[in-house]
Amino acid sequence: MSVASHFDAMSYGPAPEGDAEARAWLARHADGFGHFIGGAFVGAASGESFETFEPATGRLLARLAKGSAADVEAAAQAAREAQGPWSQLSGHARARHLYALARLIQRHARLIAVVEALDNGKPIRETRDIDVPLAARHFYHHAGWAQIQEREFPGWQPVGVVGQIIPWNFPFLMLAWKVAPALALGNTVVLKPAEFTSLTALLFAELAVAAGLPAGVLNIVTGEGDTGALIVEHAGIDKIAFTGSTKVGRLIREKTAGSGKSLTLELGGKSPFIVFDDADIDAAIEGVVDAIWFNQGQVCCAGSRLLLQEGIADKFLARLKRRMDTLRVGHSLDKCIDMAAIVAPVQLQRIEKLVAAGVAEGATLYQAAIDLPEGGCFMRPTLLTDVQPAATVAREEIFGPVVVSMTFRTPDEAVMLANNSRYGLAASVWSETIGLALDVAAKVQAGVVWVNATNLFDAGTGFGGYRESGYGREGGREGVLEYLKPKAWATRQPRPATAEPPQREAANGFSLPSLDRTAKLFIGGKQARPDGNYSRLITSPDGRVLGEVGEGNRKDIRNAVEAARKAEGWSKASAHNRAQVLYYLAENLSARAGEFAGRIAAMTGATIEAAEAEVAASISRLFSAAADADKYEGRIHTPPLRGLALAVHEPIGVVGLICPPEAPLLAFISLIAPLLACGNRVVVVPSEPHPLSATDFYQVLETSDVPAGAVNIVTGPAWELVKTLAEHDDVDALWVFGQKELSAMAERLSTGNLKRTLTDNGFMTDWHDIASCEGEILLRHAVQVKNVWIPYGE
Ligand code: NDP
């Protein structure tokens, strides 16, 4: 071939990255890798092992220890022993350790990048330029949080021993996302990498030894899914942080229910990539390339649903196909490729099966007209058009290089299509009209929104999902809080078992007793008879009948949820308006303070002074929530790019709330107030033995401009009502304060729509203690953080 013909063709030759160092490192471990436990590499207790292969060639890369119960036990014990001393180091000392790790990652960046590319099959260009630098950034950033921890989080302490389970799509980066914050804040770690991609975690363990990280602070147990399950179920682990499929996320929620373990889940996605007709089309097409063919589309936040405004759809798709034909698929170590190998044959088969299902359901298939390398797990960039919103490929996470496209006419339709998913991880919005782009960003249900950009990440900006994409955040201040727990809650004592719940009295028709003694339910701003037409007697501790309340059932909860759903206006109201309403509630409660104190004293047997103190604290708490309504705001981040990321606090939506038996007014107010302040609508089950101060509160609500449906109150058996709330798919979050078993049930049954739960696990809160129930301690559970990235420039 002549030089001139090269100029004509302008084709690329291969530009392979050297792998000698990586192969030498692997050769040094030719006998197999052990687990990393207590600062040393140790063989599997069972002697069992498994193999890991190179996706681009199918070659064997290494043999790894298979983690058994004994290995997990040893790792959890090592982590437990190290946790106290590690958390007692000064923030500065921990910062220096993280800083040392960051430095070592940078020093060994090329080796890590090559090992990662070999093990996962992803392009070296991505491991070298994205995964490894971002991982280093996570350690630097979190070294900073360690340094200022005592100053920034005086009321918080480390969670303890954290079990971390990570997937194969970004093995090293996910390790950094999990390990850096955990260690920075004083926790110790038992980490399981994915079975396909454990090598960079083991390389990192070697770096940790070199960096002088104390033994036991970081432990790595390799293995398959069942090793992960052993970590999840280990009683000596205080928190599970998981990234992976929604299916396994659900399983983990079930397994940890009632264990008291805290949980963060970073799960799947089906993220919309919305292009309006005034978008910069060339930029948007490059955006699609980054959104779906980055990392072979094996990205939880991949822009896998392309939503095009009708006017530009044909032109856009034609240009996109042309661009697809210029993409290069090759060996992961070739520096001139756009896409490399799928992680494993089983994944490739799964993707191909889903594409075939798409075609069978009527989609039109386009695959880039390009050559693939011989052998290995390669796949062509793939586009499915003519896809219906209900089609399998429009709903299921394909987790491969496959984008499906649909069209829309108006911004409202775009938002509707975008939100027509059980997931809510990320979204991209493309428009040159910033007002339109930001309006859509606000309306899309997703934890991360990129405006005129895609797949931007930074340690200082949180990442995580809405809805079935999971809960919890990684990165940013909100990510730090996931690795801390309130000191005020650490000393809570188990709630004494209550006497048997009061007997249900079949009152022979709801309206039999005199009306002034019978409280109905409060649904959609109105008093409503309970569906079952039963009521229960409420008595004082010495057996006097104080009144009667409705016995709510499943139907009542459903009606209340429906009313709460409709009260969307409350979530859209300005923070100032919400504050006004909360102040007004406080004012009206204050006007009737004596009456409420009398009621509390009669119901609970408390002295009148104690009851008055409860009312006074409730009024104060409403004032605090009113104050917080327009002050518990988001943040503006300045990630390393020209632009901003806005961390916006959004309401979660409809929140179910089970109030504890004690402090019937104060606990009720302490829990509804922050939820209302943050714009949530609530369905509340008040104290089961002492519900009358909540039913008396109807009149306060009615006279305080609380919109209908923002607060719904259903009295009755917490046991039955929590079940309906937990299983209801229109309830977005559930707070449960009460007997331990209630917490367990709520968590176990919450997996349907993966609702967020806040449970006290049977531990009693001191409702008079501001540190225990006012401010960020509850507010952070009343919001979900959406990070909107807005790069700018000419
Ligand atoms: P999984 O969710 O199965 O795996 C994620 C991690 O969890 C791995 O370390 C895995 O171990 C471990 N694991 C598996 N089963 C259990 C269990 N019962 N208890 C505890 N840990 C467990 O994802 P896969 O790797 O199997 O991929 C399947 C699909 O999941 C993909 O096709 C994709 O759709 C989705 N996925 C989504 C990701 C995301 O970030 N959203 C990431 C990865 C996958 P091991 O690898 O050894 O099985």
Side-chain angles (χ1 to χ4, degrees):
M1 218 182 190
S2 68
V3 172
S5 66
H6 277 297
F7 272 104
D8 280 345
M10 288 298 278
S11 63
Y12 293 87
E17 171 75 25
D19 61 357
E21 239 192 282
R23 302 269 180 212
W25 179 74
L26 289 167
R28 284 203 294 281
H29 295 282
D31 294 341
F33 287 89
H35 306 301
F36 181 67
I37 297 176
F41 284 91
V42 295
S46 66
E48 282 187 65
S49 63
F50 63 102
E51 293 170 330
T52 187
F53 298 90
E54 186 177 339
T57 60
R59 266 167 70 179
L60 177 71
L61 277 177
R63 176 164 286 286
L64 303 159
K66 192 165 172 213
S68 62
D71 300 321
V72 171
E73 176 60 36
Q77 241 178 53
R80 178 61 62 198
E81 279 162 28
Q83 203 267 322
W86 176 247
S87 67
Q88 281 147 23
L89 283 182
S90 68
H92 175 65
R94 280 200 307 279
R96 289 177 71 130
H97 278 292
L98 269 93
Y99 184 78
L101 287 168
R103 299 286 290 171
L104 273 178
I105 290 172
Q106 284 184 317
R107 207 168 336 134
H108 296 275
R110 197 49 73 96
L111 175 63
I112 302 169
V114 175
V115 172
E116 189 81 317
L118 287 175
D119 196 18
N120 170 282
K122 59 165 69 188
I124 178 75
R125 203 165 48 84
E126 292 175 6
T127 59
R128 182 195 63 193
D129 298 347
I130 298 170
D131 298 23
V132 179
L134 258 178
R137 160 103 181 114
H138 269 262
F139 279 94
Y140 280 122
H141 179 79
H142 286 94
W145 282 119
Q147 175 72 26
I148 60 173
Q149 178 178 358
E150 290 142 39
R151 189 187 77 205
E152 284 291 309
F153 301 101
W156 302 76
Q157 65 186 53
V159 177
V161 174
V162 185
Q164 304 185 322
I165 299 169
I166 55 174
W168 43 259
N169 54 344
F170 292 92
F172 192 66
L173 185 56
M174 287 303 104
L175 173 146
W177 280 26
K178 296 227 166 355
V179 170
L183 300 193
L185 282 312
N187 306 279
T188 55
V189 162
V190 177
L191 175 123
K192 190 197 88 70
E195 65 186 277
F196 295 143
T197 55
S198 303
L199 293 178
T200 46
L202 297 165
L203 177 52
F204 178 73
E206 289 185 0
L207 298 184
V209 173
L213 191 70
V217 167
L218 170 74
N219 304 277
I220 297 175
V221 181
T222 50
E224 300 172 358
D226 46 6
T227 309
L230 289 166
I231 293 176
V232 168
E233 287 171 43
H234 195 286
I237 289 178
D238 304 304
K239 173 187 169 81
I240 298 293
F242 171 80
T243 299
S245 61
T246 296
K247 181 171 150 237
V248 175
R250 274 206 172 87
L251 206 68
I252 292 177
R253 169 68 293 179
E254 270 171 25
K255 294 273 184 217
T256 52
S259 66
K261 285 189 176 80
S262 72
L263 179 62
T264 47
L265 298 174
E266 300 285 353
L267 309 176
K270 191 75 189 175
S271 300
F273 187 105
I274 309 167
V275 189
F276 286 96
D277 56 12
D278 65 348
D280 175 339
I281 302 289
D282 288 327
I285 284 180
E286 284 316 302
V288 176
V289 172
D290 280 345
I292 191 66
W293 295 306
F294 166 57
N295 204 29
Q296 298 67 248
Q298 301 167 138
V299 182
C300 49
C301 54
S304 52
R305 280 188 300 148
L306 177 57
L307 308 182
L308 300 170
Q309 195 155 19
E310 237 175 46
I312 52 153
D314 290 345
K315 187 168 75 177
F316 192 97
L317 289 171
R319 281 163 73 172
L320 179 61
K321 287 175 188 168
R322 276 213 303 280
R323 178 67 178 96
M324 287 168 72
D325 293 344
T326 67
L327 293 171
R328 302 186 73 244
V329 177
H331 190 284
S332 49
L333 291 188
D334 184 345
K335 284 174 274 192
C336 287
I337 56 153
D338 300 290
M339 241 178 64
I342 303 296
V343 72
V346 55
Q347 279 298 119
L348 182 56
Q349 285 155 17
R350 192 179 161 273
I351 300 165
E352 284 170 342
K353 210 166 131 194
L354 276 163
V355 171
V359 173
E361 288 178 25
T364 306
L365 173 70
Y366 184 81
Q367 291 192 300
I370 56 173
D371 294 329
L372 295 184
E374 293 288 312
C377 287
F378 296 100
M379 179 168 179
R380 290 190 171 79
T382 298
L383 166 69
L384 289 169
T385 52
D386 306 315
V387 171
Q388 297 304 315
T392 310
V393 288
R395 289 182 289 109
E396 296 297 317
E397 184 179 44
I398 297 178
F399 223 65
V402 184
V403 64
V404 304
S405 92
M406 285 167 268
T407 59
F408 65 88
R409 289 185 190 159
T410 61
D412 278 351
E413 200 187 338
V415 169
M416 222 168 62
L417 274 175
N419 288 339
N420 182 24
S421 167
R422 59 200 171 100
Y423 296 113
L425 193 49
S428 267
V429 185
W430 294 76
S431 166
E432 290 299 288
T433 309
I434 190 71
L436 171 66
L438 290 180
D439 185 48
V440 171
K443 290 174 178 163
V444 169
Q445 291 265 317
V448 184
V449 183
W450 296 291
V451 172
N452 293 325
T454 191
N455 279 340
L456 299 174
F457 311 100
D458 182 52
T461 305
F463 181 90
Y466 281 24
R467 308 203 276 197
E468 292 182 36
S469 291
Y471 34 78
R473 292 290 181 269
E474 294 186 299
R477 193 174 186 281
E478 60 270 33
V480 168
L481 283 170
E482 302 289 349
Y483 285 97
L484 293 172
K485 63 181 181 189
K487 284 182 183 163
W489 285 359
T491 48
R492 291 187 299 189
Q493 295 303 310
R495 181 175 282 107
T498 45
E500 282 295 297
Q503 289 292 305
R504 176 193 282 194
E505 293 276 333
N508 196 18
F510 179 73
S511 58
L512 188 64
S514 63
L515 281 178
D516 57 340
R517 294 204 310 160
T518 307
K520 298 178 188 169
L521 314 178
F522 189 70
I523 296 178
K526 294 195 196 89
Q527 301 200 24
R529 279 176 195 285
D531 170 73
N533 219 18
Y534 282 106
S535 59
R536 62 163 68 184
L537 288 178
I538 302 301
T539 53
S540 66
D542 57 11
R544 263 180 314 125
V545 173
L546 299 174
E548 234 174 290
V549 295
E551 184 84 348
N553 66 14
R554 277 183 306 170
K555 182 81 185 346
D556 299 308
I557 290 285
R558 288 194 201 121
N559 292 342
V561 171
E562 202 182 318
R565 266 284 140 219
K566 285 193 193 138
E568 237 185 322
W570 180 252
S571 298
K572 291 181 183 156
S574 72
H576 170 72
N577 282 350
R578 294 199 298 264
Q580 292 296 296
V581 169
L582 285 158
Y583 281 127
Y584 203 18
L585 276 172
E587 192 184 316
N588 287 330
L589 177 59
S590 176
R592 298 176 53 183
E595 190 189 319
F596 272 88
R599 184 65 112 177
I600 292 169
M603 280 192 303
T604 63
T607 62
I608 192 70
E609 291 76 19
E612 280 167 359
E614 182 169 342
V615 178
S618 303
I619 295 166
S620 169
R621 200 128 299 157
L622 282 166
F623 262 73
S624 297
D628 285 325
D630 62 357
K631 288 168 200 66
Y632 189 63
E633 291 185 299
R635 282 185 166 66
I636 299 178
H637 297 300
T638 49
L641 78 133
R642 194 161 152 66
L644 301 170
L646 313 180
V648 185
H649 285 178
E650 294 195 339
I652 302 169
V654 174
V655 182
L657 169 58
I658 306 287
C659 293
E662 73 274 4
L665 180 67
L666 182 55
F668 167 84
I669 296 289
S670 301
L671 294 167
I672 64 164
L675 284 167
L676 291 176
C678 295
N680 300 285
R681 293 96 75 189
V682 288
V683 175
V684 195
V685 178
S687 162
E688 188 172 346
H690 313 304
L692 295 176
S693 43
T695 56
D696 292 348
F697 200 70
Y698 297 169
Q699 279 122 39
V700 179
L701 289 165
E702 282 164 344
T703 50
S704 305
D705 294 344
V706 178
V711 180
N712 305 277
I713 300 173
V714 179
T715 48
W719 277 104
E720 276 174 53
L721 303 182
V722 74
K723 184 168 180 293
T724 312
L725 281 167
E727 287 175 342
H728 201 305
D729 280 351
D730 264 343
V731 175
D732 303 299
L734 185 54
W735 290 14
V736 177
F737 290 74
Q739 298 308 326
K740 185 173 164 41
E741 295 74 14
L742 280 183
S743 295
M745 186 194 281
E747 288 174 351
R748 196 173 56 252
L749 299 179
S750 67
T751 52
N753 64 344
L754 277 171
K755 54 179 65 66
R756 295 170 55 173
T757 54
L758 171 66
T759 58
D760 71 0
N761 208 30
F763 288 95
M764 280 234 280
T765 303
D766 177 354
W767 299 102
H768 284 275
D769 174 31
I770 288 176
S772 293
C773 50
E774 219 181 275
E776 190 154 38
I777 197 167
L778 288 177
L779 289 168
R780 65 176 287 256
H781 295 281
V783 296
Q784 45 193 352
V785 186
K786 174 188 274 180
N787 277 283
V788 182
W789 290 70
I790 314 169
Y792 51 74
E794 287 176 27

